Amino acid sequence: MPESHFVAPSDRSAEQVSGAKVVAQALKAQDVRYVFGVVGIPVTEIALAAQELGIRYIGMRNEQAASYAASAVGYLTGRPGVCLVVSGPGLIHALAGMANANMNCWPLIVIGGSSERNQETMGAFQEFPQAVRISIYGRPGACYVDIPADFVTVQVNVNSIKYKECCMPPPVTMAEASAVCLAASVIRSAKQPLLVIGKGAAYAHAEENIRKLVEQCKLPFLPTPMGKGVVPDNHANCVSAARSRALQFADVIVLFGARLNWILHFGLPPRYQPDVKFIQIDICAEELGNNVKPAVTLLGDINAVAKQLLEQFDKIPWQYPPESKWWKRLREKMKSNEAASKELASKISLPMNYYTVFYHVQEQLPKDCFLVSEGANTMDIGRTMLQNYLPRHRLDAGTFGTMGVGLGFAIAAALVAKDRSPGQRVICVEGDSAFGFSGMEMETICRYNLPIIVLVVNNNGVYQGFDADTWKEIVKFQDPVTVAPPMCLLPNSHYEQVMTAFGGKGYFVQTPEELQKSLKQTLEDTTKPSLINIMIEPQSTRKAQDFHWLTRSNM
Ligand SMILES: Cc1ncc(C[n+]2csc(CCOP(=O)(O)OP(=O)(O)O)c2C)c(N)n1
Ligand SMILES: [Mg+2]
C-alpha cells in the first residue's frame, strides 16, 4: 500500500486503527445500518468492528439468504444493506442475491474479503462512497467491493484517514414538460384506460401522488405483484380481480415504474390489444421502448412524474366517467372471479385447498403486516387472496422468480419493522419447496428472536405432490432414490419441527379450525417466532385461468 496514504511518517506515535475499523467507520459514514453475512477470514474483524460502531450485524446461515436480506433492506429503506462474505465460495453464494437485486432494481452492496493483495492500491477504501452512489442512483442495483486481507489487518494512523461524507439520496429528475402534456391528453382521450403500478412506484414513494391521480381522475388501476399496496388492494378502483381482462382490453395503459417483462406479458398480443397505447414512466432511459413502442415516454423519478401528471389534471380537471361501459365490464368480471374464488374457499372437504387456506389467513391478517411470499401456486394464489394495504409491504420471488428469497426477506423486514414500528408483524407464506431453499435460516430467526410467522403451505411437492398412500405404494415396489417423481417431496414432512428445534413455536395443521386457532395464537404471541405447517390436498391447483400466467405473448 502507498505509505503516504495511510501512515504519516512524521506522526508514527499517533493512535493506530485497524483496516477493519476503517471499513466499518466508512460504512457508518455512509449511513449503512444493517450488515448481513457469514464470517470467515478475513471478514470476521469487519463484522466485529461494525457491531462495535452500532451497525447491526446479522449472522446468517448461508450467503445466499444474507444477500437476499441485504437487498430487501435496500428496497425497504432506500439505503443499501451490506452483505459481508468471504471471497470465493461466499461470494459465489452471494451472487444469487446480486443477480436478484439487479433484476428487481434494488440497491445492494456486497463486500468480499479476499486474499492478500498484490498490486492493488489503497483506492479500495475509496470505493465505498462510489458503491453507495452506484447502488442507489439511477436504476438501483448491486455493487461489489473487494477488500484484500491485509487491508483488514493493517494498522494505520487515525489522523491519516479521510472519510468521505455520506452519499446523498439520488437527485430527483422530472419528465420533459411537453411529454407530460402529451401524456395527459392521451389519458383524456382514452376509452378504456388503465394504470399499472409497479414496484418502481413503491420504491419511489409515489403512493400519495398516484392515489390522488386515481381518485381525482377516477381511473382503474392494477398493481404488479410488488406494486401491491402503493394504493391499497381494497380501494374501489383496484381491478386486480379482473387482471387479465383489464390488460387485454385497455386502450391506454400508464405504466408507473412497471416494466413490460414476463410479469406483464411483454405488452404484446394476445394479452393486449395490438394497438394499445402505452405511457411509460421509468427512471431508467434504457427501459423505455422495451418490447413495444410507447405512445409517450416519461423519463424521471416516478413520484415526481406522477406529481407532474397530477398538475395537468389540476389545471384542466378531468374525470373518467364512472358509469362507462369499461367500468361495467371490469366490475362484472371482478364479481364473477371473486365468486369463483369464494366458492373454492368455502369447500369444506379435507385436505384443504389453497383457497380455503388463504381465505382463513386473510381473515386474520393484520392490516399493517409485511407479507413475504414465494412458491409457485402458493405465491400465485396467495397474491390474489391476500391483501396489501401499505406500500413496500410485499416482498416475493420478484422479477427473477427466485425461490429461496423468502426467509432472508422476512428477516430483513422484521429488522426494519423492529427499528421503525415495533409490534408490526411479518408473515412469510412459503411453498414447501420454496421453504427448503433457506430453511436453516429458522435458526437465525430464533437466534435474533424475530417474531416472524412462517406459513408453509404443504402439498408435498413442487407445484404438486403426492399423498402419503401413493408415496407408500411407490416406495413399496421401487427404489425411491431412482423412481421418486421429480415434483415429489417427502409426504407429510414436519417442517414445524425445524422451528421447534431452535425454540420457536411449531404447529402442524390439517383443518380450517386448526389453522384458525394456530393463527390466532401466533398473532397474539408477539414474543416468539412460529411456523405453521399447513397440510393441503397434494393435487390442489389454481382455478381455471383465461390465460396461463406464463402464456407466451408473442405467439
Ligand atoms: C432458485 C430457483 N430454483 C428453482 C426454481 C423453479 N421453481 C419454481 S417454483 C418452485 C417451487 C414450487 O413449489 P412450492 O414452493 O412447494 O410451491 P407450490 O407450487 O407447491 O405451492 C421451483 C423449484 C426457481 N424458481 N428458483
Ligand atoms: Mg409445494
Side-chain angles (χ1 to χ4, degrees):
M1 105 199 42
E3 179 130 315
S4 61
H5 206 102
F6 259 175
V7 183
S10 58
D11 193 16
R12 284 187 185 276
S13 61
E15 196 189 330
Q16 301 281 294
V17 62
S18 70
K21 287 192 177 174
V22 175
V23 172
Q25 186 59 53
L27 291 176
K28 184 143 176 113
Q30 293 306 321
D31 197 20
V32 167
R33 282 163 254 164
Y34 304 92
V35 174
F36 300 83
V38 178
V39 292
I41 298 169
V43 296
T44 310
E45 281 88 347
I46 299 176
L48 286 166
Q51 250 180 352
E52 220 173 278
L53 290 175
I55 296 173
R56 267 181 193 262
Y57 174 79
I58 298 96
M60 306 281 288
R61 300 304 299 264
N62 186 306
E63 293 85 354
Q64 249 180 38
S67 59
Y68 296 144
S71 70
V73 157
Y75 174 63
L76 295 175
T77 68
R79 298 298 294 185
V82 163
C83 175
L84 183 65
V85 301
V86 297
S87 65
L91 175 61
I92 299 292
H93 286 172
L95 278 178
M98 295 178 76
N100 195 65
N102 274 348
M103 293 298 285
N104 277 346
C105 310
W106 291 358
L108 166 67
I109 298 177
V110 175
I111 300 176
S114 62
S115 51
E116 316 263 309
R117 112 211 91 105
N118 304 320
Q119 286 143 355
E120 291 100 327
T121 71
M122 286 308 295
F125 286 165
Q126 300 296 321
E127 303 286 346
F128 276 131
Q130 282 197 47
V132 173
R133 191 169 52 78
I134 289 164
S135 75
I136 59 177
Y137 280 33
R139 172 183 271 183
C143 289
Y144 177 62
V145 181
D146 190 75
I147 302 187
D150 48 341
F151 280 18
V152 176
T153 49
V154 70
Q155 292 291 318
V156 292
N157 181 334
V158 279
N159 300 324
S160 67
I161 304 156
K162 287 192 200 81
Y163 293 102
K164 282 267 174 94
E165 68 277 13
C166 183
C167 174
M168 299 308 284
V172 175
T173 50
M174 294 207 283
E176 214 183 315
S178 61
V180 179
C181 270
L182 180 60
S185 76
V186 172
I187 295 170
R188 283 176 214 275
S189 66
K191 295 201 167 62
Q192 314 206 132
L194 178 69
L195 308 184
V196 174
I197 305 172
K199 69 176 171 301
Y203 186 73
H205 288 239
E207 50 268 20
E208 204 183 310
N209 286 318
I210 293 181
R211 187 185 179 134
K212 273 190 196 154
L213 197 64
V214 164
E215 290 178 353
Q216 198 166 315
C217 300
K218 305 214 179 319
L219 291 164
F221 77 89
L222 188 70
T224 66
M226 281 196 263
K228 272 162 72 79
V230 168
V231 182
D233 282 340
N234 64 345
H235 192 285
N237 294 27
C238 178
V239 295
S240 288
R243 181 183 187 276
S244 291
R245 178 165 292 193
L247 294 176
Q248 200 184 356
F249 295 107
D251 68 342
V252 170
I253 297 181
V254 191
L255 301 166
F256 287 93
R259 290 170 283 173
L260 289 176
N261 56 23
W262 66 277
I263 291 182
L264 285 176
H265 322 290
F266 312 109
L268 297 170
R271 306 297 301 258
Y272 293 84
Q273 291 299 302
D275 55 354
V276 55
K277 289 182 180 155
F278 283 105
I279 299 172
Q280 202 179 5
I281 308 170
D282 209 284
I283 186 84
C284 174
E286 287 88 333
E287 191 59 42
L288 302 172
N290 186 25
N291 295 331
V292 297
K293 187 171 177 292
V296 190
T297 56
L298 300 171
L299 176 64
D301 173 82
I302 314 290
N303 186 34
V305 177
K307 188 149 183 273
Q308 284 181 291
L309 274 176
L310 206 51
E311 281 160 8
Q312 292 293 316
F313 293 107
D314 280 340
K315 250 192 268 167
I316 311 171
W318 171 84
Q319 279 186 353
Y320 182 67
E323 299 310 323
S324 63
K325 260 197 194 151
W326 179 227
W327 261 122
K328 208 170 147 224
R329 236 173 130 183
L330 291 171
R331 292 218 170 92
E332 272 169 15
K333 186 70 181 168
M334 283 161 64
K335 237 189 187 163
S336 68
N337 279 348
E338 276 161 0
S341 297
K342 228 181 202 156
E343 197 192 322
L344 283 162
S346 66
K347 284 212 165 127
I348 49 170
S349 59
L350 294 177
M352 291 183 279
N353 64 36
Y354 287 103
Y355 293 86
T356 311
V357 169
F358 292 130
Y359 172 81
H360 289 290
V361 175
Q362 173 59 31
E363 288 269 281
Q364 294 197 43
L365 209 62
K367 275 201 154 177
D368 66 346
C369 74
F370 280 96
L371 258 176
V372 179
S373 187
E374 59 178 338
N377 288 323
T378 296
M379 182 172 75
D380 290 345
I381 302 170
R383 185 177 51 243
T384 67
M385 301 277 294
L386 303 175
Q387 306 261 297
N388 279 88
Y389 306 96
L390 296 171
R392 297 170 295 285
H393 277 62
R394 178 182 170 86
L395 300 162
D396 67 23
T399 313
F400 220 11
T402 313
M403 295 299 118
V405 293
L407 299 174
F409 285 178
I411 290 168
L415 290 163
V416 169
K418 206 169 181 172
D419 292 344
R420 244 178 9 199
S421 46
Q424 195 182 6
R425 300 307 293 265
V426 178
I427 321 279
C428 185
V429 184
E430 301 272 306
D432 53 329
S433 163
F435 173 76
F437 285 77
S438 303
M440 194 47 78
E441 299 303 336
M442 287 302 100
E443 187 274 333
T444 312
I445 290 173
C446 289
R447 180 158 28 98
Y448 292 99
N449 202 26
L450 301 169
I452 294 166
I453 300 171
V454 182
L455 307 179
V456 176
V457 183
N458 191 348
N459 64 348
N460 301 339
V462 183
Y463 309 111
Q464 53 175 264
F466 294 85
D467 61 31
D469 291 337
T470 314
W471 171 257
K472 265 188 213 148
E473 287 299 308
I474 293 171
V475 300
K476 208 186 313 177
F477 303 109
Q478 282 157 319
D479 173 13
V481 175
T482 49
V483 298
M487 325 266 263
C488 185
L489 296 171
L490 191 70
N492 296 333
S493 290
H494 281 266
Y495 295 110
E496 75 285 0
Q497 291 179 8
V498 184
M499 182 59 102
T500 53
F502 303 112
K505 279 193 170 172
Y507 301 85
F508 181 77
V509 307
Q510 292 175 293
T511 66
E513 294 71 33
E514 288 168 357
L515 176 60
Q516 283 169 321
K517 208 170 139 200
S518 58
L519 275 169
K520 190 163 179 289
Q521 278 181 18
T522 54
L523 284 163
E524 277 167 4
D525 184 354
T526 56
T527 64
K528 261 196 172 170
S530 50
L531 189 153
I532 308 178
N533 184 11
I534 307 163
M535 298 310 300
I536 63 164
E537 157 61 38
Q539 304 288 323
S540 175
T541 53
R542 282 188 90 172
K543 68 178 157 62
Q545 302 288 303
D546 289 342
F547 288 103
H548 188 264
W549 179 246
L550 288 174
T551 310
R552 284 179 62 183
S553 306
N554 46 358
M555 284 192 307

